[in-house]
Amino acid sequence: MSEPDHSKYVVKDLISAKAIAARIEAMANEIESIFADSQQLVVVGLLRGSFMFISDLVRELNLPVEVDFIETSSYGDSMESSREVRILKDLRGEIKNKDVLVVEDIVDTGHTLQHVIKLLNSREPARLVVCALLDKPARREVDVQADLVGFEIPDEFVVGYGIDYAQRNRNLPYIGTVKFLDD
Ligand code: IMP
């Protein structure tokens, strides 16, 4: 597949950095109450899209946490889900009998989250809670949902705040939609 031309689209504002920060603070409060009694919480980020979200979220969590990462196969350079999920990098640590918070950037078709939940549950964590910054419910193909969602968004391709289009735009501090320019 040829490389997309990054000069052929613009990114239009959808969710500001300020709105993201405020929502993360509220989500962290909810997570603190869910895991108030937890002694061993492992926060698992799904690479690479959640790297910015997880780093801001854990800074708001007033709990003893460990941080670990898992990487799944992605869309590659396309805008379409491959539906077949592969684990490219597994957790470093054990999660058996520990509390686990999965941190995902977007739940789209749901295939990635369904696969990761099944995998992590097979390792017998004490509790498994999923939080996702963004949710596109209109795109769902499998019956899965995050326990905590930052923002529900329409069926549009988004970038920024860790989320990419063909590896670009992850560094934007806000979330925007990709709009292709007319030829
Ligand atoms: P799902 O398996 O279809 O739910 O896709 C989940 C993954 O696809 C997310 O973790 C993202 O990495 C990627 N993804 C889904 N929607 C978008 C989008 O709008 N922009 C960029 N990546 C996306």
Side-chain angles (χ1 to χ4, degrees):
M1 195 194 303
S2 62
E3 277 266 308
D5 184 344
H6 291 282
S7 67
K8 291 268 165 63
Y9 64 88
V10 293
V11 178
K12 297 195 85 174
D13 294 3
L14 183 67
I15 308 171
S16 71
K18 212 172 151 185
I20 296 169
R23 187 70 190 104
I24 289 178
E25 206 183 315
M27 289 174 95
N29 288 339
E30 284 185 62
I31 293 164
E32 281 174 9
S33 30
I34 295 170
F35 291 111
D37 59 345
S38 179
Q39 295 309 312
Q40 274 193 307
L41 175 61
V42 186
V43 182
V44 173
L46 263 67
L47 292 172
R48 283 172 264 176
S50 73
F51 80 93
M52 219 177 264
F53 178 36
I54 191 173
S55 64
D56 282 343
L57 184 67
V58 292
R59 274 182 282 194
E60 293 291 335
L61 285 180
N62 196 13
L63 291 171
V65 299
E66 292 171 29
V67 176
D68 207 339
F69 293 97
I70 193 164
E71 184 173 5
T72 58
S73 49
S74 74
Y75 288 13
D77 283 352
S78 96
M79 286 180 153
E80 268 306 307
S81 170
S82 63
R83 288 172 185 87
E84 186 205 324
V85 183
R86 286 178 301 120
I87 302 296
L88 302 179
K89 182 216 165 292
D90 207 336
L91 298 178
R92 289 289 297 276
E94 299 282 327
I95 54 165
K96 192 175 166 93
N97 298 328
K98 296 181 183 174
D99 290 326
V100 173
L101 175 72
V102 176
V103 178
E104 167 70 308
D105 56 353
I106 313 181
V107 189
D108 186 41
T109 63
H111 290 282
T112 306
L113 192 56
Q114 188 184 55
H115 188 91
V116 168
I117 289 175
K118 206 183 265 180
L119 176 73
L120 298 184
N121 270 333
S122 74
R123 297 178 186 171
E124 301 172 5
R127 272 184 292 184
L128 187 112
V129 172
V130 177
C131 81
L133 182 64
L134 305 175
D135 187 9
K136 286 198 248 181
R139 296 255 311 159
R140 202 73 88 252
E141 293 177 4
V142 288
D143 185 17
V144 68
Q145 64 185 53
D147 302 292
L148 292 166
V149 170
F151 302 90
E152 264 194 19
I153 59 167
D155 179 10
E156 297 212 56
F157 197 83
V158 294
V159 291
Y161 197 71
I163 301 162
D164 73 305
Y165 171 40
Q167 299 310 325
R168 297 279 188 95
N169 304 291
R170 291 191 197 273
N171 57 323
L172 297 174
Y174 59 91
I175 290 163
T177 53
V178 170
K179 299 281 176 206
F180 283 92
L181 304 165
D182 295 332
D183 285 334

